[in-house]
Amino acid sequence: MPPRDADATRTRLLTAAAAEFARYGVAGARVERIAAAAQSNKAQIYHYFNSKDGLFAAVIGAHVEATFATDYFDAAALPETAAAIFDTFVDNPDLARLANWLRVEATSLDAPMPALEDANAAKIRAIEKAQSDGIVTNRLPAAVLLGLIVTIASAWTDLPPGFDMIERDFTVAQQREFVIESVRRLVAP
């Protein structure tokens, strides 16, 4: 066991949990495996995060904070923002899997996700401002636009079986251009 250091323990737990949740989702994840991978114990998970759902919420929150630190979101340049989301998921397949698990298991989670909620609220406000400035279409509500942009940008991480021809027939660069063009058409005033 490494020496006791609360911040280091919390960081190791978040890192181990991110890998576990990406692979198995919340329902399939096991706190025993997370604790072992973090060189910690189950009691520490409950001490820092209250529950497995709380740990998942903390993992999502950590990714949201790290993503916001990159300042990738620009409501005046939503096609490029979608490309940045696409790039993030291509470069971080575990993050893409975490996002997919969040979509699948969100309704069964018993932990608030204030970082995610605050981040999305800020993005919606920014899109609303871009709409009022005439830069972005107002044909759709800002929240709907945000949802569609994220869905388009993450489409290749969430394709159902049987769509392997997209990955086979189009390069990552081409897929990225499809995302940009799709969002450009979607948000054009």
Side-chain angles (χ1 to χ4, degrees):
M1 285 275 210
R4 289 189 177 181
D5 175 345
D7 290 337
T9 300
R10 191 174 193 283
T11 299
R12 286 194 318 274
L13 286 168
L14 286 170
T15 300
E20 178 81 3
F21 290 134
R23 184 168 184 184
Y24 299 105
V26 179
R30 297 292 171 255
V31 292
E32 297 84 4
R33 287 192 300 248
I34 294 168
Q39 299 177 321
S40 187
N41 59 60
K42 289 186 340 183
Q44 292 298 79
I45 291 172
Y46 295 104
H47 171 73
Y48 290 113
F49 307 103
N50 297 321
S51 66
K52 184 168 66 167
D53 286 358
L55 178 56
F56 183 74
V59 166
I60 296 297
H63 280 291
V64 167
E65 289 172 13
T67 301
F68 254 110
T70 65
D71 198 28
Y72 76 97
F73 190 86
D74 183 355
L78 290 170
E80 292 76 14
T81 294
I85 295 168
F86 174 87
D87 294 341
T88 298
F89 284 152
V90 167
D91 295 342
N92 302 290
D94 276 357
L95 179 57
R97 285 189 281 279
L98 284 169
N100 287 335
W101 283 116
L102 178 59
R103 279 192 287 275
V104 169
E105 299 186 285
T107 58
S108 64
L109 294 175
D110 187 26
M113 295 196 191
L116 183 59
E117 292 165 10
D118 292 348
N120 286 336
K123 292 172 192 168
I124 290 167
R125 286 191 301 274
I127 292 171
E128 287 170 341
K129 171 132 180 29
Q131 288 175 316
S132 70
D133 292 346
I135 299 168
V136 172
T137 183
N138 61 7
R139 293 185 308 270
L140 297 169
V144 171
L145 282 175
L146 178 60
L148 290 170
I149 290 164
V150 171
T151 300
I152 291 167
S154 63
W156 279 272
T157 67
D158 198 24
L159 284 173
F163 283 89
D164 59 332
M165 79 290 275
I166 290 175
E167 288 185 345
R168 182 187 65 231
D169 295 345
F170 301 102
T171 67
V172 171
Q174 288 172 312
Q175 293 170 15
R176 186 178 193 276
E177 287 303 314
F178 295 148
V179 166
I180 291 170
E181 181 59 23
S182 297
V183 173
R184 180 176 291 119
R185 289 177 186 219
L186 175 66
V187 302

